[in-house]
Amino acid sequence: MSSDFYYNAGSIPSLHCVLKKWGTAIRRYQECYGKNDCPWWYNERATLSSLAGAVWLASGNALEEYSTEKGRKMNSYKGRCDIAISIGYELFICEAKQALFSIGHKAKNGLDKVKSNLDQACKAAENLSTEDGRRLGICFAVPHLPQQDTKFIEEQCEKL
């Protein structure tokens, strides 16, 4: 498995250092548990915990799965926020989803699943209070390549 990482925080440059440290956190995880293991192969919570670790490595603060008020004033309810991230002077409150999808030779609609999960995360983030920070939806895209399709890995990754 390659340990090459590409970092792009888009319009949120303060998160660039978090993404870079996420690569460091993943490498440390693999040093401990082996190169053939990754947190995102388990579930959203495991992936989210590795992101939280990256926030701490980037000299920020992260709090996962905490209780908060969701919704609007008259329709508010108790719920949980997936993660709050404080980095520099910025605070982000985030809802996350994880999309597992095949990139095998016969796979279809993988990116549709990613887009759908990102839309769901963004919609869930809309229920968080703007007073608590900038709201973000996160989708962890986890591609899977069937063993019989490994000869197509370069082609499939290029499509992705």
Side-chain angles (χ1 to χ4, degrees):
M1 182 181 134
S2 172
S3 290
D4 294 335
F5 292 88
Y6 170 74
Y7 316 104
N8 183 348
S11 63
I12 312 173
S14 62
L15 291 180
H16 182 84
C17 63
V18 172
L19 295 179
K20 191 169 183 176
K21 291 296 183 180
W22 199 11
T24 301
I26 298 304
R27 284 185 194 96
R28 284 175 58 177
Y29 178 90
Q30 289 180 321
E31 285 171 11
C32 184
Y33 295 103
K35 292 275 185 196
N36 292 322
D37 192 13
C38 297
W40 53 83
W41 288 344
Y42 296 97
N43 56 31
E44 175 190 307
R45 291 284 302 127
T47 307
L48 201 59
S49 70
S50 67
L51 178 62
V55 172
W56 289 98
L57 288 172
S59 299
N61 296 294
L63 183 63
E64 299 176 65
E65 284 293 317
Y66 64 93
S67 298
T68 189
E69 289 287 321
K70 289 187 162 186
R72 303 292 176 254
K73 295 180 194 232
M74 295 300 288
N75 296 320
S76 67
Y77 58 95
K78 295 230 181 268
R80 292 187 179 273
C81 178
D82 286 333
I83 189 169
I85 297 170
S86 172
I87 192 81
Y89 295 103
E90 294 191 76
L91 180 62
F92 303 95
I93 51 175
C94 316
E95 291 292 333
K97 300 291 180 200
Q98 184 154 309
L100 292 98
F101 60 99
S102 178
I103 60 169
H105 196 63
K106 297 178 183 178
K108 297 178 183 160
N109 304 327
L111 286 181
D112 290 343
K113 185 171 185 179
V114 173
K115 289 175 185 174
S116 174
N117 282 20
L118 180 58
D119 287 345
Q120 290 174 32
C122 290
K123 189 152 191 73
E126 288 175 1
N127 288 321
L128 299 171
S129 172
T130 57
E131 294 174 8
D132 294 335
R134 183 173 176 182
R135 300 175 296 181
L136 297 179
I138 299 170
C139 180
F140 300 113
V142 184
H144 165 74
L145 184 67
Q147 185 70 35
Q148 69 269 16
D149 287 348
T150 55
K151 61 186 171 204
F152 301 109
I153 192 165
E154 294 296 327
E155 173 189 332
Q156 295 304 93
C157 286
E158 188 65 34
K159 282 182 186 178
L160 186 58

